[in-house]
Amino acid sequence: MSGTDTPGRCAGGGDGTRAVRAGLPEPVKHEPTLPGPVFAAHFHLPGDPTGPYTYGRDENPTWTLLERAVGELEAPGQDGTETLVFASGMAAISSVLFSQLRAGDTVVLPSDGYQVLPLVRAQLEAYGIEVRTAPTGGNAQLGVLDGAKLLWIESPSNPGLDVCDIRGLVEAAHTRGALVAVDNTLATPLGQRPLELGADFSVASGTKQLTGHGDLLLGYVTGRDAATMTAVRRWRKIVGAIPGPMEAWLAHRSISTLHLRVDRQNASALALAEALRERPEVTGLRYPGLPDDPSHKIASQQMRRFGCVVSFTLPTRARADRFLDALRLVDDATSFGGVRSTAERRGRWGGDAVPEGFVRLSVGAEDPEDLVADVLRALEESAD
Ligand SMILES: *Cc1c(COP(=O)(O)O)cnc(C)c1O
């Protein structure tokens, strides 16, 4: 196997067909369909050090297959795109930001994005990069774009689930000569394809619904331009933010059920949101798939699926804590996207601008009736 193998038989047009075959090599007699993880710090390399696999920080055949798989889902049929996998979502995000920006540049970040972005902001500013922020909702980032080198979009945003007009923001950014990266973690590539919406990079944490079992950390960047991706690859090499072969292989195996998981989890998320809408103690309910959600109109124009995360607010911190405690099928845990439902009171971390009773609930692959019944029971039992 080499980095220039022709991709395997991923001919199908449907998401399920694409997911089960994504990144597979051509079948070889007596070999497994998905070759096992290649554990190698270095590769046998006599003579001139050329070819795809030299040293384990630069390349690994298990990453190559996973990178192909993610690329086939993020940008099906788009020639010339490139995908790189990373040790975590933050490794992928940092690699784009720090490889593309120089002292004196300006970057626009979301003010309501992932909770580590404020730390990234402080580091960028320490390197002499100007950072502007604006909320995701209402396309507010448009107002601070002038003179920016890079626009960073997170849509839907985490945890507030606001959505912006990606295509519109990309056009405005490109007109001003700025690159655009979209954090596609919450949507997954089956929910949204940022490159088709014009973005230069789709960046995501593969820790969440992409792999969906809560047992590994992973990140990736898919980009459309070879020169910018060369800089991202160089950054990965410099910082060594690489996934282990075992994690890469587990991720690839998990992607083969992505369509099953997202369809099940996202349909259950809608059912749960509909049930929560009827509850008097629930305010600020957000799910982009709900027809009356403020994000729904723009979400339905650019998303193919609306995610597995529902957020809402209970009257007090104590009520939210009692609710989380009373749940039996939903673990009190952070992160999202796994096959087992999780929820947390987001305010416990500090950092997000959310009310004390704000709950982020990630819907898993349980039977929807069981899950909705458990949530409604926990709401009853936690009442004052
Ligand atoms: C979790 C998350 C990240 C960071 O991913 P890690 O794999 O934890 O490093 C980035 N963006 C979003 C939207 C996330 O939810």
Side-chain angles (χ1 to χ4, degrees):
M1 178 182 19
S2 83
T4 53
D5 275 352
T6 47
R9 297 178 300 172
C10 172
D15 285 338
T17 312
R18 201 177 282 119
V20 298
R21 302 218 69 92
L24 297 182
E26 286 295 341
V28 176
K29 191 172 183 182
H30 305 141
E31 293 290 326
T33 309
L34 175 63
V38 176
F39 296 106
H42 54 84
F43 300 87
H44 194 52
L45 192 65
D48 289 335
T50 55
Y53 303 113
T54 57
Y55 186 61
R57 183 168 14 80
D58 298 337
E59 269 300 352
N60 175 293
T62 311
W63 308 347
T64 304
L65 297 181
L66 175 62
E67 287 168 345
R68 263 186 216 152
V70 172
E72 286 169 18
L73 299 177
E74 276 285 345
Q78 288 190 55
D79 293 336
T81 67
E82 185 177 347
T83 298
L84 295 170
V85 290
F86 289 83
S88 67
M90 283 315 304
I93 289 171
S94 298
S95 294
V96 172
L97 288 167
F98 290 100
S99 70
Q100 303 301 316
L101 296 167
R102 305 279 177 279
D105 286 344
T106 297
V107 59
V108 174
L109 300 181
S111 57
D112 51 349
Y114 185 60
Q115 60 176 354
V116 182
L117 287 185
L119 294 178
V120 175
R121 173 188 190 148
Q123 193 62 52
L124 290 165
E125 287 173 343
Y127 289 155
I129 294 157
E130 184 188 331
V131 180
R132 298 181 195 148
T133 62
T136 301
N139 303 319
Q141 289 180 313
L142 265 181
V144 292
L145 262 185
D146 278 344
K149 170 94 185 296
L150 177 68
L151 166 63
W152 195 272
I153 290 172
E154 189 178 307
S155 180
S157 61
N158 169 27
L161 302 179
D162 269 324
V163 171
C164 59
D165 173 6
I166 295 177
R167 212 184 274 279
L169 280 161
V170 164
E171 272 167 28
H174 284 174
T175 304
R176 292 164 174 79
L179 294 167
V180 181
V182 176
D183 184 324
N184 206 29
T185 303
L186 202 136
T188 83
L190 294 198
Q192 175 170 276
R193 296 180 191 145
L195 265 55
E196 284 180 5
L197 299 168
D200 301 283
F201 304 100
S202 180
V203 186
S205 168
T207 311
K208 315 292 171 61
Q209 203 178 16
L210 182 82
T211 59
H213 293 71
D215 52 10
L216 61 87
L217 279 94
L218 188 86
Y220 69 85
V221 178
T222 301
R224 67 165 73 257
D225 174 65
T228 49
M229 286 306 284
T230 298
V232 176
R233 183 185 287 276
R234 186 169 163 270
W235 188 264
R236 181 176 72 174
K237 179 184 172 87
I238 293 170
V239 298
I242 55 166
M246 190 67 197
E247 281 75 10
W249 181 82
L250 276 171
H252 198 162
R253 190 179 74 154
S254 301
I255 285 174
S256 60
T257 56
L258 179 61
H259 58 301
L260 297 173
R261 290 184 283 105
V262 295
D263 282 347
R264 170 63 163 239
Q265 292 175 243
N266 298 8
S268 298
L270 179 61
L272 180 68
E274 282 167 347
L276 288 171
R277 193 167 46 177
E278 309 302 323
R279 298 292 305 198
E281 68 273 63
V282 167
T283 57
L285 174 67
R286 296 300 301 270
Y287 181 66
L290 270 181
D292 51 356
D293 187 275
S295 293
H296 185 69
K297 185 160 177 280
I298 183 66
S300 26
Q301 286 162 18
Q302 66 194 19
M303 298 181 76
R304 301 159 66 234
R305 294 177 174 86
F306 301 111
C308 65
V309 179
V310 176
S311 64
F312 55 94
T313 301
L314 292 173
T316 61
R317 170 181 178 158
R319 176 72 196 271
D321 282 337
R322 287 202 303 276
F323 165 71
L324 293 169
D325 213 36
L327 289 164
R328 289 184 199 133
L329 297 181
V330 183
D331 296 333
D332 191 339
T334 194
S335 200
F336 61 86
V339 290
R340 287 170 288 274
S341 293
T342 57
E344 69 173 336
R345 200 177 60 76
R346 199 60 192 168
R348 65 181 175 169
W349 295 97
D352 294 325
V354 293
E356 285 289 354
F358 180 95
V359 173
R360 185 182 71 186
L361 198 154
S362 170
V363 174
E366 300 87 358
D367 289 301
E369 313 77 58
D370 293 343
L371 183 68
V372 170
D374 192 51
V375 169
L376 295 181
R377 184 195 48 74
L379 281 174
E380 292 293 342
E381 284 181 13
S382 60
D384 292 309

